């Protein structure tokens, strides 16, 4: 294992070095939060794929393959479908808005700032829980690597992510995500996938060994697939962590086509995870937990060195999602909640102060994430709460604002409040993992949005005119934007 340890240590040291290098570039709010809006197609595609394919997609995706076979790909597959839908239909308009948060988009669309405050609280809760679930996953990986206890593993992994994210903001996260994308591609797709299939005897032996249901594309169940679409596909359309990456694109064309490449990559990653899990079922049919499949096949079947690289790939998957969720959480907390509570104008002050303030919030939110991750043990429940709140409370007013001119600020407020409360009540009465909270929460949100919007005066014409100018990309640059040549 000495070689494997060396691979992991070098990888972690590299992440910190990237953070230090990124700190030298992040000298304005724009550079710190959205990498100066300068990412080209290659970097944009890699970083977008890295953030959406986290520990749940890697370790959890293999676990679903172990439990259900090829149909276990559906969870990650719906993530890819959501990213494709976002890229093809919405990303160009989102990129042209030149904002930093989803709540700022709601303020521009509906006017008045009222919708943005409540949506900021909901989005903050979502990004916090998303960061927590990613941080919890460090316990599994570091237990396999170093046999250390859960709390120490969370503190170790979380501290590294908080360090490089705090140092350089989105520039550091972008650079580390590119490394993580390459490591995941080599470790999971090019090494673990073919080795797992060969060790299991090939596809013919796998089919002979396992029940036919393992090779049924719909074996996981139609209701489960539908729920995945509601939670993950729609969740990809509106999450602050995803939108903040869209804001990094240097053009709307980059956002559209770069995101399409990343979404397609996610579809391939989904199938790879399911196949690896199916192979693990052949090799180790009686594991205590399906989520142990990834660690077991890596530990038992891969040669020295390769094993270290694949474990680094799993670590990369967790770190990319964790860092993306962390900067999103801090951005919302500082720009959408704290600034409003202090009564600050949205026009930024000195760039240095803006960077320092956002850096402080990343550090603060990082400490909160590590503490919460230590206190919470159930990753699935935490992730479900996050996505239920996001989809049930924010999907309708966000997409409604993009596609329906008649939507009003009162309709948006009613949609967020009614949908969010419905989700919370139904999770309390039916259980956190039940399907009803997101089903009925989404329906309640839609009904409230339509009814209240139609019953209240239309949005002011001047607000809509300014909104259309933004969508068309004809508005002037924000005061905080530094004009720099694309690279």
């Amino acid at each position: 294992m000495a070689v494997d340890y060396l691979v992991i240590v070098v990888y972690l040291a590299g992440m910190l070095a990237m953070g230090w290098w990124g700190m030298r570039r992040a000298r304005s709010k724009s550079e710190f939060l959205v990498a100066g809006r300068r990412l080209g197609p290659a970097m944009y595609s890699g970083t977008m794929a890295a953030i959406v394919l986290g520990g749940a997609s890697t370790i959890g995706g293999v676990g679903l393959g172990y439990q259900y076979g090829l149909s276990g790909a559906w969870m990650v597959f719906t993530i890819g479908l959501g990213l494709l839908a976002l890229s093809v239909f919405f990303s160009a308009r989102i990129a042209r808005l030149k904002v930093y948060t989803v709540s700022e988009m709601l303020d521009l669309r509906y006017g008045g700032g009222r919708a943005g405050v409540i949506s900021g609280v909901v989005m903050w809760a979502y990004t916090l829980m998303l960061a927590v679930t990613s941080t919890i996953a460090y316990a599994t990986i570091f237990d396999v690597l170093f046999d250390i206890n859960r709390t120490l593993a969370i503190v170790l992994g979380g501290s590294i992510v908080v360090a490089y994210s705090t140092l350089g903001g989105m520039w550091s996260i972008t650079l580390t995500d590119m490394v993580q994308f390459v490591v995941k591609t080599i470790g999971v797709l090019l090494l673990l996938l073919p080795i797992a299939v060969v060790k299991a005897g090939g596809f013919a032996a796998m089919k002979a060994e396992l029940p036919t249901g393992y090779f049924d594309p719909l074996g996981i169940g139609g209701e489960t697939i539908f729920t995945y679409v509601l939670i993950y596909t729609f969740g990809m359309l509106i999450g602050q962590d995803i939108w903040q990456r869209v804001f990094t694109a240097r053009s709307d064309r980059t956002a559209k086509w770069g995101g399409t490449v990343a979404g397609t990559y996610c579809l391939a990653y989904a199938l790879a995870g399911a196949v690896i899990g199916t192979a693990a079922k052949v090799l180790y049919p009686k594991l205590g937990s399906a989520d142990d499949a990834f660690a077991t096949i890596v530990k038992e079947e891969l040669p020295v060195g390769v094993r270290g690289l694949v474990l680094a790939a799993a670590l990369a998957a967790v770190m990319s999602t964790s860092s993306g969720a962390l900067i999103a959480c801090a951005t919302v907390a500082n720009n959408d909640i704290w600034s409003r509570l202090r009564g600050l104008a949205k026009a930024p002050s000195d760039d240095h102060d803006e960077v320092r303030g956002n850096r402080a919030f990343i550090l603060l939110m990082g400490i909160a994430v590590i503490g919460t991750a230590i206190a919470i043990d159930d990753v699935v429940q935490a992730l479900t709460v996050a996505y239920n709140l996001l989809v049930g409370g924010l999907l309708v007013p966000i997409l409604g604002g993009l596609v329906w001119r008649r939507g009003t600020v009162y309709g948006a407020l009613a949609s967020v409040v009614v949908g969010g409360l419905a989700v919370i009540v139904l999770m309390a009465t039916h259980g956190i993992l039940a399907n009803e909270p997101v089903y009925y929460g989404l329906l309640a949100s839609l009904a409230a949005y339509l009814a209240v919007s139609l019953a209240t005066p239309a949005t002011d014409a001047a607000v809509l005119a300014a909104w259309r100018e933004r969508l068309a990309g004809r508005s002037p640059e924000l005061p905080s934007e530094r004009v720099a040549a694309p690279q």
Side-chain angles (χ1 to χ4, degrees):
M1 287 289 288
V3 176
D4 297 326
Y5 290 156
L6 179 62
V7 171
I8 298 297
V9 170
V10 169
Y11 168 75
L12 294 177
M15 295 301 98
L16 292 174
M18 291 289 185
W20 183 261
W21 189 84
M23 181 177 65
R24 300 173 61 187
R25 304 197 61 169
R27 297 180 179 179
S28 72
K29 179 180 179 180
S30 173
E31 290 176 332
F32 191 81
L33 294 182
V34 291
R37 307 189 196 274
R38 287 188 283 165
L39 297 193
M43 289 193 74
Y44 180 86
S45 298
T47 58
M48 184 63 87
I51 188 177
V52 301
L53 296 174
S57 300
T58 304
I59 299 171
V62 172
L64 287 172
Y66 183 90
Q67 190 172 359
Y68 298 104
L70 297 186
S71 66
W74 273 106
M75 183 188 77
V76 183
F77 200 83
T78 55
I79 291 174
L81 291 178
L83 186 51
L84 285 171
L86 173 71
S87 301
V88 172
F89 298 112
F90 299 108
S91 63
R93 282 182 282 177
I94 293 170
R96 287 195 293 264
L97 289 175
K98 300 289 185 183
V99 295
Y100 293 104
T101 68
V102 175
S103 296
E104 288 178 0
M105 167 265 169
L106 292 174
D107 283 348
L108 286 170
R109 168 59 182 83
Y110 295 110
R114 286 163 290 188
V117 176
I118 297 177
S119 67
V121 173
V122 176
M123 190 64 77
W124 174 79
Y126 156 72
T127 53
L128 178 71
M129 295 309 295
L130 185 61
V132 166
T133 58
S134 300
T135 304
I136 291 173
Y138 293 126
T140 301
I141 299 172
F142 279 100
D143 178 57
V144 174
L145 289 173
F146 305 116
D147 192 27
I148 59 179
N149 69 61
R150 178 180 183 275
T151 298
L152 183 58
I154 290 172
V155 172
L156 176 60
S159 296
I160 293 171
V161 170
V162 171
Y164 72 69
S165 300
T166 302
L167 286 172
M170 187 60 81
W171 267 123
S172 294
I173 293 171
T174 296
L175 295 170
T176 55
D177 277 358
M178 281 305 298
V179 175
Q180 289 158 357
F181 171 74
V182 172
V183 171
K184 281 192 288 191
T185 301
I186 295 173
V188 176
L189 296 184
L190 301 184
L191 292 177
L192 182 57
L193 175 60
I195 290 174
V197 172
V198 169
K199 291 285 186 177
F203 284 104
M206 290 162 63
K207 285 187 175 182
E209 186 74 21
L210 297 172
T212 56
Y214 267 74
F215 301 92
D216 179 359
L218 303 178
I220 199 169
E223 185 178 358
T224 299
I225 295 172
F226 180 66
T227 302
Y228 284 158
V229 170
L230 279 184
I231 293 177
Y232 297 114
T233 301
F234 287 134
M236 288 294 106
L237 299 180
I238 59 174
Q240 169 68 25
D241 53 321
I242 308 303
W243 277 41
Q244 199 156 343
R245 295 310 173 97
V246 176
F247 300 151
T248 66
R250 72 183 179 195
S251 67
D252 52 7
R253 183 178 177 84
T254 296
K256 181 176 182 178
W257 295 111
T260 301
V261 171
T264 305
Y265 177 90
C266 291
L267 303 183
Y269 200 89
L271 184 59
V275 171
I276 293 168
T278 304
K281 183 67 175 179
V282 173
L283 295 168
Y284 309 100
K286 297 182 180 180
L287 290 179
S289 169
D291 285 339
D292 292 336
F294 180 89
T296 301
I297 196 169
V298 169
K299 194 172 184 178
E300 300 297 332
E301 302 297 336
L302 298 185
V304 173
V306 173
R307 179 171 51 209
L309 182 60
V310 173
L311 286 172
L315 194 57
V318 175
M319 294 179 84
S320 57
T321 300
S322 181
S323 59
L326 176 59
I327 193 172
C329 178
T331 302
V332 171
N334 187 22
N335 294 273
D336 291 336
I337 300 175
W338 179 242
S339 293
R340 296 170 193 262
L341 289 176
R342 293 180 61 192
L344 297 179
K346 292 307 291 182
S349 57
D350 177 69
D351 270 347
H352 179 70
D353 291 337
E354 290 280 326
V355 172
R356 185 169 55 191
N358 282 289
R359 183 174 282 135
F361 264 87
I362 291 180
L363 179 60
L364 181 63
M365 291 298 105
I367 294 171
V369 164
I370 292 173
T372 307
I374 292 172
I376 295 177
D377 192 37
D378 195 319
V379 180
V380 176
Q381 288 197 8
L383 192 62
T384 301
V385 169
Y387 274 98
N388 280 352
L389 286 172
L390 178 70
V391 174
L394 293 181
L395 177 69
V396 171
I398 293 172
L399 294 189
L402 289 171
V403 302
W404 191 41
R405 289 183 59 187
R406 188 59 183 82
T408 69
V409 64
Y410 299 105
L413 286 169
S415 180
V416 174
V417 173
V418 171
L421 288 176
V423 164
I424 292 171
V425 170
L426 289 168
M427 283 193 296
T429 56
H430 289 72
I432 290 176
L433 299 180
N435 293 326
E436 286 82 0
V438 71
Y439 291 171
Y440 297 117
L442 189 55
L443 288 174
S445 179
L446 177 60
Y449 183 71
L450 294 174
V452 176
S453 290
L454 292 173
T456 53
T459 303
D460 185 84
V463 172
L464 286 177
W467 167 252
R468 287 192 294 270
E469 288 294 301
R470 281 282 191 149
L471 282 179
R474 291 191 292 265
S475 292
E477 292 291 305
L478 296 175
S480 63
E481 304 292 324
R482 286 183 63 184
V483 179
Q487 56 182 35

